[in-house]
Amino acid sequence: MTVDSPRTIVLLRHAKADWPDVPDHERPLADRGRQDAPMAGLRLADDGIAPELVLCSTAARTRETWKLAAHELPHRPRTVYEERLYDASLGELLALLSETPDDVGSLLVVAHNPGMHALAEALTGSADSDALARLKSGGFPTAAFAVITFNGSWKTVEHGVGRLTTFWTPHEA
């Protein structure tokens, strides 16, 4: 893979979390989240999305989301649990993307809002069908994912570089 090769970024927001009396980082998924996370994995598999590398926040709800979604994929990709994804700002997320090795063609990130929404909007310079309008109008719900493609090195990831090809939510009308 060259530095100018096509790349795919999948941004997956964690599924619906519960609110027990625990630190925020340790919040587990709610019942709805445990139902929605596998649906996201099934949709990724149905769409033929096969990430080579997954960066997952260390929070309990993101780890649980990824475990349930990954179970639905035909092949489990290499997963790195990244502390810096928890409560990451847009700038921190862009910096993490730029650290991705150029031999990775497809990256999936499992993290939190508002970062996932901000990153999807920032990276999108163009979009297929009504994906961008739905992202802008409906926000980035739990267990939703955005698929963004771009050409070039991961080091060149910046505002407007990508094309939003898919925006999926588990409870689409």
Side-chain angles (χ1 to χ4, degrees):
M1 177 158 281
T2 69
V3 293
D4 293 327
S5 295
R7 314 270 178 203
T8 301
I9 304 167
V10 181
L11 304 176
L12 172 61
R13 182 177 176 199
H14 67 77
K16 181 75 175 167
D18 206 350
W19 290 92
D21 189 19
V22 298
D24 184 69
H25 192 270
E26 301 311 314
R27 289 176 44 219
L29 291 183
D31 289 342
R32 189 179 99 198
R34 284 190 288 281
Q35 293 171 357
D36 291 350
M39 288 172 47
L42 281 170
R43 180 60 189 261
L44 289 167
D46 287 349
D47 287 356
I49 297 169
E52 296 164 46
L53 175 64
V54 175
L55 298 179
C56 183
S57 165
T58 57
R61 59 192 178 273
T62 51
R63 292 189 323 254
E64 192 175 354
T65 297
W66 175 236
K67 179 181 176 184
L68 293 168
H71 185 73
E72 303 300 329
L73 300 178
H75 303 288
R76 183 162 181 141
R78 184 169 77 94
T79 301
V80 175
Y81 295 95
E82 176 57 65
E83 291 179 6
R84 295 177 293 169
L85 284 171
Y86 179 71
D87 203 26
S89 68
L90 174 59
E92 291 165 331
L93 290 167
L94 286 167
L96 279 167
L97 291 180
S98 74
E99 294 174 13
T100 304
D102 277 326
D103 63 345
V104 173
S106 180
L107 173 70
L108 188 146
V109 180
V110 187
H112 313 266
N113 253 3
M116 290 288 92
H117 191 189
L119 184 59
E121 284 191 335
L123 292 176
T124 300
S126 62
D128 291 348
S129 66
D130 66 342
L132 185 57
R134 289 187 305 110
L135 173 67
K136 287 183 178 282
S137 69
F140 207 116
T142 54
F145 66 81
V147 180
I148 300 166
T149 60
F150 74 100
N151 290 325
S153 167
W154 292 102
K155 290 173 183 40
T156 66
V157 172
E158 61 184 19
H159 291 258
V161 74
R163 178 170 195 79
L164 179 65
T165 62
T166 303
F167 180 64
W168 179 85
T169 65
H171 301 282
E172 293 179 325

